Amino acid sequence: MATVEFAKGLEGVIVNTTQLSKVDGENGKLYYCGYTIEDLAENCNFEEVSFLLMHKRLPNKQELEEFDAQLKKERCLTPELEASIVLTPKKGHPMAVLQALVSMLAMHDDEIADKSIEAKERKAIRIIAKMPTVVTMFDALREGRPVVRPNKNLSHAANMLYMMTGRIPSDIEEKIFDKALILHMDHGCNASTFTARVVTSTEADIYTSVVAALGALSGPLHGGANEKVLQMLEKVKADEMEEYIDKKIENKEKIMGFGHRVYKVWDPRAIILRKLAVELTEKMGEGADKVDFAEKFAQYTLKRFAEIGKTNIYPNVDYFSGAVYACLGLPTDFFTPVFAISRVVGWVAHHYEQLVDNRIYRPKLYYNGAELGRKFERPDA
């Protein structure tokens, strides 16, 4: 059989063009519409960066106020959607709940078939605005707490923390959560974004594309990794840390939160989240022990990797994001939904960018199965 060259997992294959984000893995840089992620995280909020990705330019003061008002207006759910959450199995994972409810959002959207530019943006805003309400309401119901309704006086980041905890977050909590959301908004042609674009290329509606992307994000090798990181750090005892890491490396097993398909140096988002975790614990006066252990775990892992010549494996965005979310009081199984609540901005932006000059994705698979044309013989009973 002839040898056929192919890129497993489409690694390195350029499938389309984009003006949304650029990942420079060699130099550890991430850009949204030409701006560095450091610049945006330092100077903008969730609403501004959402507008940037959806319109490929930053908003002026009036545009930002109008965009913010639209997001706030769309936070509430209809009684029918709330009833659906009430009936959702309480043992379900929040990501599964998000998938189910985003599908239901489509059924309740009277503009589902409207392809005008104005309707497209309204649908995107509805999805972005309602996803935090869905997951926080589900969490309250499964824990037996009173449901906290959206507060239209709060920012997108502050409102989600408010709905999760029932209290207005402090300035530092709002600031850090807002920055964390910005960091996760878009990241080139990652698995979930590619999934959204593939589904979009069939001319499926925006809700269907987002539901598909949610499914891709739920996997432990993608968005689900941040849950696994915290579970790992909580499981390993301080006096067993080095032995645990040594055994993982010896057995050539993956250490959750380390390594990236693109970055060969520190993930720039991990560097920012690392600083945010320290700042948050210093201001809140708690959680410092967890962040300190995560730092020691990371440093010893990097030391061991260097000793065996693996000098291109560093902590990725999932490693420190779990520590930040835990300090903010978010349940572990909410880490990936929080990722989704941010990344959905990128998904909807890619959805509309894909449609501008659309061509359905149709790659090939190389067949290496049984002999072709073999004689049919029914197996004996």
Side-chain angles (χ1 to χ4, degrees), residues 33-52:
C33 299
Y35 298 99
T36 67
I37 193 65
E38 292 87 355
D39 201 5
L40 293 173
E42 181 64 29
N43 297 296
C44 299
N45 59 22
F46 175 91
E47 291 79 1
E48 285 179 286
V49 183
S50 295
F51 187 100
L52 169 67

Side-chain angles (χ1 to χ4, degrees), residues 296-358:
K296 289 178 180 178
F297 189 102
Q299 291 305 320
Y300 184 75
T301 302
L302 290 173
K303 173 177 172 290
R304 291 291 291 113
F305 279 148
E307 290 173 352
I308 61 174
K310 291 189 174 183
T311 57
N312 62 346
I313 301 178
Y314 293 86
N316 56 43
V317 69
D318 296 310
Y319 189 78
F320 287 103
S321 64
V324 171
Y325 296 154
C327 290
L328 288 169
L330 300 178
T332 303
D333 63 355
F334 261 63
F335 294 174
T336 308
V338 168
F339 193 143
I341 284 163
S342 170
R343 184 57 60 84
V344 69
V345 178
W347 294 337
V348 299
H350 279 276
H351 173 83
Y352 294 127
E353 186 177 65
Q354 175 66 37
L355 291 173
V356 171
D357 185 23
N358 187 45

Side-chain angles (χ1 to χ4, degrees), residues 92-214:
H93 193 284
M95 284 297 288
V97 176
L98 263 181
Q99 283 184 281
L101 266 293
V102 172
S103 289
M104 296 201 70
L105 285 175
M107 301 180 213
H108 291 271
D109 195 325
D110 294 333
E111 294 185 299
I112 187 67
D114 191 335
K115 296 185 178 181
S116 67
I117 294 176
E118 295 77 13
K120 286 178 179 179
E121 180 162 348
R122 286 194 294 269
K123 285 181 280 189
I125 287 174
R126 286 182 195 122
I127 296 173
I128 296 168
K130 294 181 189 302
M131 279 176 56
T133 309
V134 168
V135 294
T136 54
M137 181 176 179
F138 171 72
D139 185 58
L141 290 171
R142 71 174 180 173
E143 297 296 333
R145 302 193 313 268
V147 173
V148 179
R149 306 293 175 184
N151 186 326
K152 293 184 178 181
N153 295 317
L154 299 176
S155 68
H156 191 81
N159 177 65
M160 180 169 177
L161 290 177
Y162 167 70
M163 290 191 295
M164 279 293 300
T165 64
R167 64 175 179 81
I168 304 294
S170 65
D171 290 344
I172 186 64
E173 289 173 314
E174 177 183 2
K175 181 187 101 171
I176 287 180
F177 190 51
D178 189 86
K179 290 179 183 292
L181 293 178
I182 290 173
L183 297 177
H184 287 87
M185 275 192 192
D186 198 40
H187 201 253
C189 197
N190 57 83
S192 58
T193 297
F194 181 56
T195 300
R197 293 193 77 130
V198 170
V199 175
T200 297
S201 76
T202 70
E203 296 192 358
D205 65 83
I206 188 172
Y207 291 96
T208 302
S209 297
V210 170
V211 169
L214 283 165

Side-chain angles (χ1 to χ4, degrees), residues 19-34:
Q19 297 176 21
L20 298 173
S21 64
K22 164 69 176 176
V23 184
D24 180 353
E26 294 299 322
N27 297 300
K29 302 296 290 184
L30 172 61
Y31 305 86
Y32 292 171
C33 299

Side-chain angles (χ1 to χ4, degrees), residues 243-347:
E243 180 184 356
Y244 175 87
I245 295 169
D246 290 342
K247 189 171 293 185
K248 281 282 188 181
I249 292 176
E250 181 183 338
N251 295 334
K252 297 182 179 180
E253 297 175 354
K254 180 176 177 59
I255 299 178
M256 299 307 297
F258 284 82
H260 197 280
R261 287 283 289 273
V262 180
Y263 293 115
K264 305 308 176 187
V265 293
W266 270 85
D267 182 333
R269 301 166 299 171
I271 294 174
I272 297 173
L273 284 165
R274 182 191 197 182
K275 294 177 181 177
L276 293 179
V278 172
E279 182 181 0
L280 184 59
T281 56
E282 288 177 348
K283 293 290 178 62
M284 295 181 65
E286 56 182 295
D289 54 335
K290 292 182 178 180
V291 174
D292 182 60
F293 180 68
E295 181 64 30
K296 289 178 180 178
F297 189 102
Q299 291 305 320
Y300 184 75
T301 302
L302 290 173
K303 173 177 172 290
R304 291 291 291 113
F305 279 148
E307 290 173 352
I308 61 174
K310 291 189 174 183
T311 57
N312 62 346
I313 301 178
Y314 293 86
N316 56 43
V317 69
D318 296 310
Y319 189 78
F320 287 103
S321 64
V324 171
Y325 296 154
C327 290
L328 288 169
L330 300 178
T332 303
D333 63 355
F334 261 63
F335 294 174
T336 308
V338 168
F339 193 143
I341 284 163
S342 170
R343 184 57 60 84
V344 69
V345 178
W347 294 337

